[in-house]
Amino acid sequence: ADGARVPALVIGTGYGGSVAALRLAQAGVDVHMIEMGMAWDTPGPDGKIFCNTREPDYRSYWLRTRTKAPLNYFLGFPIDRNIPRHTGILDAEEFGGITVYQGRGVGGGSLVNGGMAVTPKRENFGAVLPSVNADEMYGVYYPRANAGLGVGTIDPAWFDSTACYQYARVGRKHAQRSGFPFVFVPDVYDWDYMKQEAAGTVTRSALAGEILYGNNHGKKSLQQTYLAQARATGRVAISPLHKVTSVAPAAGGGYAVVIEQLGTTGDVTATKTVTADRVFFAAGSVGTSKLLVMLKATGALPNLNDEVGRGWGDNGNVMCGRANHMWDPTGALQSAIPCCGIDNWAAGGAFAEVAPLPTGIETYASFYLSITNNPHRARFSWNAATGKVDLDWQASWKQPSIDMAKTIFDKINAKEGTIYRTDLFGVYKIWGDHLTYHPLGGAVLNKATDNYGRLTAYPGLYVIDGSLIPGNTSVNPFVTITALAERNIEKIIATDL
Ligand code: FDA
């Protein structure tokens, strides 16, 4: 409520925020979490909380009047459609050179993501987080994160037999025939539930094309894991549809946090100020970076250091499809949850997920999301004229990612006698190079913060999300974001409270 005082306020309810809330509560600290998105705990008129990827409706996008599907064309035809403006679940946030997809709601990105829960290879960790002790991460914090998130791996025997992963088996065959290492990728989806979906004994979710706009069953989002545990402590309150707009030192100590309450069309219905002894920035790489850059430039937190806003990367995301021969159908029924990848990181700088195209019809297409070792890093800066934060990413900076992805797919195409699909991202456009699902950086660990996420100019202010990671994790990022948050909050609880 307006005028309240709280010991710890967490901005955002994604991975970093959920870890912070749970561990602080377990240490006896009362926590208030502020989340700009909706609670996603109430069914809509169709009886479902989340809408389907094939039928986007008012629930699908954050304050847009037209969908912006990542795969925006099919057979050369645009597939986007008009929708009512609503505080929906997926934000396609547009900057000059890139569209950044993010989850909005209690659970952050865990609501919309594929649940691929990948721990980087240890040999790559030094480049991911250079100032962090790898022994501690691989001995303690990665295992803790994997346990807390409920990570599991597909039963290989079931993988070999189920119709819904035919597309992935085609992906495996083509990878192996070109000599690339094929790997199973763990996920937070309940694999036993998926087996029952395939057997027809439970309501389908992954097998009904649910993914980008939320899964109604099967996926263990943060609402089922860290946040459920946090609520069970009785010490964590969550305010959905509340957006933090300012944090500044308060006269009597602590920090004054200004919060706008939002209606479901994005209108501001109330403005509140609370005082917090400690504030944890967990608004995601883009959300936290935008807040910190704005607060530094506008004089609320002028002593934040000059690294704030720097070191942002796209995790080298780039997408493409291949057209298979008629003897390699990929299946009309495709699980929306990816389960495997092609690892060419060491030789070619690319790790490609074999991704679904859950259209419900046979497409003879193989689809891939590659994570590549793109060297470019962008910077967020305050634009006083527009009153907004800009990002200086250039569209042409995706070229190294395309070149790295081609180390895999040019070879596979040559071996198989196949070609790239040119109809998925536009009219005659091969590469999905306009977007990222994996924003990272902007408040980099040991640069913008100390080595545990403290904003040292302001005791009691912390960063604890993907903005700490300098732009690339070599695999999908949320396990690393979670593990780093576990490491940092343990230190903060031990030394600062
Ligand atoms: P996260 O973005 O999760 O949470 C931040 C929260 O803060 C959001 O809920 C946001 O609404 C809120 N917020 C922002 N500003 C605020 C403000 N001013 N006031 C209040 N609240 C505010 N990763 C992976 O490892 N495996 C995968 O399979 C995938 N797949 C995938 C698919 C898609 C479509 C997307 C969009 C993303 C993925 N990801 C992924 C990425 C993964 O979801 C992402 O890296 C994490 O969610 C980031 O976690 P954070 O804790 O940094 O922020």
Side-chain angles (χ1 to χ4, degrees):
D2 191 29
R5 181 157 196 130
V6 296
L9 184 139
V10 176
I11 308 171
T13 56
Y15 294 91
S18 298
V19 170
L22 172 62
R23 301 307 176 200
L24 286 164
Q26 287 175 332
V29 180
D30 287 329
V31 180
H32 202 122
M33 304 183 83
I34 308 295
E35 170 55 54
M36 68 193 269
M38 307 208 328
W40 301 110
D41 56 2
T42 312
D46 58 358
K48 293 178 177 171
I49 293 178
F50 304 112
C51 70
N52 195 284
T53 312
R54 293 171 203 144
E55 293 290 328
D57 64 19
Y58 68 99
R59 291 168 285 197
S60 54
Y61 282 87
W62 179 257
L63 302 179
R64 298 186 79 92
T65 53
R66 194 164 169 79
T67 64
K68 194 171 172 70
L71 253 148
N72 48 344
Y73 277 77
F74 190 67
L75 302 173
F77 291 101
I79 59 171
D80 284 315
R81 57 163 89 173
N82 294 335
I83 45 166
R85 183 181 154 93
H86 187 81
T87 47
I89 198 162
L90 185 65
D91 193 353
E93 188 168 358
E94 294 176 72
F95 292 98
I98 193 165
T99 300
V100 184
Y101 284 87
Q102 296 152 89
R104 294 278 174 250
V106 174
S110 78
L111 296 166
V112 299
N113 68 33
M116 299 182 83
V118 197
T119 301
K121 277 190 176 165
R122 189 162 172 158
E123 69 215 51
N124 297 329
F125 184 77
V128 174
L129 282 165
S131 65
V132 173
N133 181 318
D135 288 340
E136 287 179 8
M137 289 295 279
Y138 286 82
V140 179
Y141 303 109
Y142 274 120
R144 189 177 292 174
N146 277 291
L149 294 164
V151 175
T153 304
I154 192 167
D155 168 0
W158 187 66
F159 173 83
D160 277 332
S161 62
T162 180
C164 70
Y165 281 118
Q166 184 173 333
Y167 75 95
R169 292 194 297 274
V170 170
R172 173 176 66 183
K173 180 174 77 177
H174 291 171
Q176 290 180 338
R177 292 208 312 200
S178 285
F180 293 114
F182 167 88
V183 290
F184 281 116
V185 168
D187 201 280
V188 297
Y189 203 85
D190 181 338
W191 293 107
D192 287 330
Y193 189 88
M194 200 189 296
K195 281 185 180 174
Q196 295 171 55
E197 290 181 50
T201 55
V202 296
T203 308
R204 284 181 166 183
S205 179
L207 269 54
E210 290 182 353
I211 175 89
L212 268 184
Y213 311 135
N215 280 83
N216 286 297
H217 311 276
K219 191 156 103 215
K220 287 173 275 181
S221 77
L222 289 165
Q223 291 190 351
Q224 281 82 37
T225 58
Y226 275 93
L227 287 171
Q229 273 199 64
R231 285 185 207 260
T233 65
R235 290 191 177 276
V236 177
I238 306 179
S239 294
L241 288 173
H242 280 69
K243 181 178 183 180
V244 171
T245 58
S246 181
V247 177
Y255 294 89
V257 181
V258 181
I259 303 165
E260 291 179 349
Q261 185 169 359
L262 305 178
T264 55
T265 54
D267 48 317
V268 178
T269 57
T271 302
K272 308 169 183 180
T273 302
V274 302
T275 308
D277 297 327
R278 293 190 165 75
V279 177
F280 292 82
F281 288 83
S285 161
V286 175
T288 291
S289 301
K290 286 198 306 187
L291 273 173
L292 292 177
V293 163
M294 182 265 290
L295 295 171
K296 177 173 168 62
T298 57
L301 297 173
N303 299 332
L304 290 175
N305 78 30
D306 211 42
E307 291 286 340
V308 162
R310 294 180 193 264
W312 185 86
D314 68 340
N315 212 25
N317 282 188
V318 66
M319 294 176 178
C320 67
R322 294 178 39 254
N324 292 307
H325 295 294
M326 297 292 271
W327 57 82
D328 270 335
T330 47
L333 174 67
Q334 301 197 0
S335 171
I337 297 296
C339 70
C340 58
I342 305 167
D343 184 1
N344 196 37
W345 190 263
F351 173 83
E353 290 161 9
V354 180
L357 265 182
T359 56
I361 55 168
E362 176 59 57
T363 62
Y364 299 95
S366 287
F367 183 54
Y368 307 91
L369 167 63
S370 297
I371 294 162
T372 65
N373 199 3
N374 190 308
H376 289 294
R377 294 295 178 269
R379 183 182 180 186
F380 292 95
S381 60
W382 177 244
N383 184 332
T386 60
K388 287 188 174 158
V389 175
D390 295 334
L391 179 67
D392 68 0
W393 183 271
Q394 307 294 309
S396 62
W397 290 0
K398 286 284 192 181
Q399 191 58 46
S401 292
I402 294 172
D403 295 341
M404 290 172 193
K406 280 163 72 89
T407 67
I408 297 176
F409 303 114
D410 279 3
K411 189 167 175 192
I412 290 178
N413 276 337
K415 175 81 186 170
E416 301 297 327
T418 52
I419 56 169
Y420 289 103
R421 292 286 286 232
T422 57
D423 60 336
L424 300 176
F425 300 101
V427 181
Y428 208 82
K429 182 162 165 45
I430 291 175
W431 297 98
D433 59 356
H434 56 298
L435 59 79
T436 186
Y437 285 175
H438 299 165
L440 293 166
V444 169
L445 189 77
N446 215 28
K447 290 188 169 173
T449 72
D450 77 355
N451 205 22
Y452 291 90
R454 300 181 185 96
L455 290 160
T456 47
Y458 296 97
L461 295 190
Y462 307 89
V463 175
I464 190 154
D465 60 17
S467 56
L468 292 171
I469 297 173
N472 200 291
T473 50
S474 74
V475 291
N476 316 62
F478 75 61
V479 174
T480 297
I481 294 170
T482 305
L484 182 64
E486 289 278 20
R487 166 192 179 269
N488 292 356
I489 199 69
E490 185 176 89
K491 180 66 137 198
I492 289 162
I493 288 170
T495 58
D496 295 15
L497 296 187

